[in-house]
Amino acid sequence: MIQEPAGLYVHVPFCRTKCRYCDFYSETDLDAVSPWFSAALAEADLYREICGAFDTLYLGGGTPSLLPARLVESLLRGLRGCFSFGPGTEITLEANPDDVTAEKLRAWRAAGVNRLSLGVQSFDDKELRFLGRRHGARCAMEALDLARKAGFSNVGIDLIWGLPGQSLSQWMTTLEEALAFSPEHLSCYELTVEEGTRLHEAVTTGAVVLPAEADLAERFLATSERLTVFGYDHYEVSNFARTRRHRSRHNQKYWRHVPYLGLGPSAHSFMEGRRWWNVRSLHDYIRRLQWNISPVAGDERLTGDQLRLETLYLGFRTSDGITRRELGEGPEVESALEALRRSGNLEVVGDRVRATLTGWLMADRLPSFFDP
Ligand code: SF4
């Protein structure tokens, strides 16, 4: 069997300000951009001989769009100098609406970026303020217009639902605003409360009260129904593609255990059953690479059982599901499958087992039924 090419991720660890809910690693000191850039290319050089061809490149963060356009161009040129990229490589750049200008869009396109993932989160100014976003709804609409005018034909919109006090109709209004742009991709994430964030603190002190589970389930089902009627392919719990061809090729690698290499502070990599991760601190990352020291902070080799459980965890979140063979065998597996099938949470389609829409409401718990 021909092995699918690996994916390359570059973590751009800078944000102008920190959003209230976010726990991705980033710094607001933009003076470190230049040393980070040199360190990222030095890290790429460490893998020059090891990695084969990539067919996806994802610039994520943090906020890649705040980089000066010439730096994005130099970064892509540097990476092409280190690695080989197959024809038609999917090159995604995550952008915040307030960074988007016609000049930057032109430069990104010229550099080879062919997929834009725009962090809109909401089309409601009050909700955007709650989330601590820097942009307003109008700014997001303008950014989307500019992206189309610049010729981007693969645009994704990221949204967040399940905000405290957000009614179903408020969420559906945001969803309709997004649909008005006919994006090729929509990510609709439930607001999650991560430890260490300002949102976590507000929830812990009772200043913010989260929606009830039944309300969240209602929003999830309404989102899927609306987008499916609109023709979108609900291919992962939180992700929708206008056609199968518009699924995020890069993210699917994570979900299918296809190898990927992550560069930058806090980035994770996975190859041949081994996972490793870089130091989180930008300062440490830069210092290590200046001294030609690996930035890897730790690694683990996944056992067969761990790989199987992860396959179930990731696979049950996708519409493709997993194969019967990946599910395992034996009377306990069969009886768990039968029980979940009868309760309407799993279905068997040919050789594959996948979660139903209601099964997705408990997607993260499904693997535990098959954990010996
Ligand atoms: S959500 Fe995006 S812009 Fe906001 S802090 Fe996180 S990475 Fe930065």
Side-chain angles (χ1 to χ4, degrees):
M1 198 169 83
I2 298 169
Q3 165 99 56
E4 183 180 332
L8 179 61
Y9 173 80
V10 180
H11 190 71
V12 183
F14 302 101
C15 291
R16 289 188 202 281
T17 50
K18 288 293 289 181
C19 303
R20 194 180 193 190
Y21 58 91
C22 176
D23 79 333
F24 289 119
Y25 176 67
S26 68
E27 297 286 342
T28 50
D29 169 19
L30 302 191
D31 288 343
V33 166
S34 176
W36 160 81
F37 170 79
S38 305
L41 287 185
E43 189 189 6
D45 203 43
L46 298 176
Y47 293 100
R48 183 190 282 271
E49 308 295 333
I50 303 167
C51 293
F54 296 104
D55 73 346
T56 64
L57 166 58
Y58 196 103
L59 304 183
T63 318
S65 56
L66 64 64
L67 295 177
R70 58 172 174 75
L71 215 64
V72 172
E73 199 264 328
S74 305
L75 180 63
L76 293 191
R77 190 156 16 92
L79 294 171
R80 286 191 183 102
C82 274
F83 304 123
S84 91
F85 292 91
T89 293
E90 176 190 272
I91 304 182
T92 305
L93 181 138
E94 280 183 352
N96 273 359
D98 48 313
D99 290 324
V100 173
T101 63
E103 292 73 36
K104 276 194 172 176
L105 287 161
R106 258 198 307 278
W108 294 338
R109 286 250 300 156
V113 175
N114 51 26
R115 185 169 182 273
L116 208 60
S117 176
L118 210 66
V120 171
Q121 318 310 356
S122 169
F123 283 101
D124 180 310
D125 284 339
K126 211 168 124 225
E127 291 179 0
L128 287 167
R129 277 195 298 278
F130 170 83
L131 292 169
R133 302 291 296 181
R134 292 168 53 85
H135 66 272
R138 175 165 290 283
C139 173
M141 288 175 187
E142 284 167 3
L144 286 160
D145 273 340
L146 284 174
R148 286 290 191 233
K149 282 188 187 130
F152 275 95
S153 57
N154 197 354
V155 176
I157 297 181
D158 284 8
L159 299 172
I160 299 179
W161 55 273
L163 277 62
Q166 180 191 53
S167 68
L168 176 61
S169 91
Q170 279 169 322
W171 160 239
M172 294 313 271
T173 303
T174 273
L175 198 55
E176 294 302 324
E177 295 279 10
L179 282 172
F181 286 93
S182 298
E184 283 67 36
H185 195 272
L186 268 161
S187 296
C188 301
Y189 298 109
E190 178 185 338
L191 179 68
T192 49
V193 182
E194 307 288 353
E195 251 180 77
T197 60
R198 281 180 289 137
L199 179 61
H200 184 263
E201 201 181 305
V203 170
T204 312
T205 59
V208 162
V209 179
L210 296 172
E213 206 161 313
D215 291 340
L216 294 173
E218 182 192 37
R219 279 148 187 67
F220 173 78
L221 296 173
T223 305
S224 179
E225 187 186 343
R226 180 69 186 125
L227 293 180
T228 307
V229 165
F230 225 82
Y232 281 83
D233 167 26
H234 191 176
Y235 73 104
E236 196 266 350
V237 172
S238 308
N239 287 285
F240 301 81
R242 206 163 75 190
T243 70
R244 214 181 151 88
R245 169 172 83 76
H246 292 113
R247 291 178 173 194
S248 164
R249 219 195 291 162
H250 185 80
N251 286 342
Q252 287 184 98
K253 290 185 194 291
Y254 298 146
W255 305 331
R256 295 202 311 253
H257 280 140
V258 175
Y260 52 85
L261 175 66
L263 304 177
S266 79
H268 282 57
S269 305
F270 177 81
M271 273 174 209
E272 293 167 5
R274 178 176 164 252
R275 177 172 296 126
W276 68 95
W277 50 91
N278 284 350
V279 288
R280 197 170 154 94
S281 147
L282 174 61
H283 179 72
D284 270 8
Y285 175 78
I286 292 170
R287 205 163 37 97
R288 283 187 182 217
L289 283 150
Q290 279 169 343
W291 288 95
N292 213 13
I293 297 169
S294 162
V296 173
D299 73 336
E300 62 182 348
R301 183 159 290 283
L302 300 186
T303 64
D305 282 346
Q306 285 171 320
L307 266 174
R308 174 181 164 268
L309 263 187
E310 267 200 22
T311 299
L312 301 195
Y313 176 80
L314 297 167
F316 280 146
R317 295 179 61 87
T318 69
S319 61
D320 290 337
I322 56 168
T323 62
R324 283 298 296 256
R325 198 167 55 82
E326 286 167 332
L327 191 63
E329 51 190 22
E332 276 131 21
V333 168
E334 290 307 322
S335 104
L337 174 60
E338 186 49 25
L340 286 163
R341 216 177 52 73
R342 262 191 279 114
S343 60
N345 291 303
L346 286 183
E347 60 187 4
V348 180
V349 182
D351 172 45
R352 304 199 74 87
V353 182
R354 62 185 198 193
T356 60
L357 195 53
T358 49
W360 268 347
L361 289 171
M362 52 180 282
D364 294 350
R365 276 175 279 146
L366 288 172
S368 64
F369 291 91
F370 301 96
D371 190 7

